[in-house]
Amino acid sequence: MLFLVGALLVLGVVLGAVAHVPVPVSVIGGCAIALWLMLFAARERLSRHRGGRSREGLR
């Protein structure tokens, strides 16, 4: 429950900040985050296909 309250608090702060910046800045920021997430996902997928160590193997 505490995690949910914290997540909603952070969401409110982020949405409040986005409401005060111009739309192009919000769009650029959103695109930058989306690009970072796509690169992270691609890197993780490639590391698993190459036979790299996964987190399960480190336990």
Side-chain angles (χ1 to χ4, degrees), residues 34-48:
L35 177 64
W36 177 68
L37 288 172
M38 285 189 283
L39 289 173
F40 178 77
R43 188 183 70 183
E44 287 293 314
R45 182 175 289 236
L46 286 174
S47 70
R48 291 193 182 175

Side-chain angles (χ1 to χ4, degrees), residues 14-36:
V14 170
L15 288 177
V18 169
H20 294 287
V21 297
V23 174
V25 175
S26 298
V27 170
I28 290 170
C31 288
I33 292 170
L35 177 64
W36 177 68

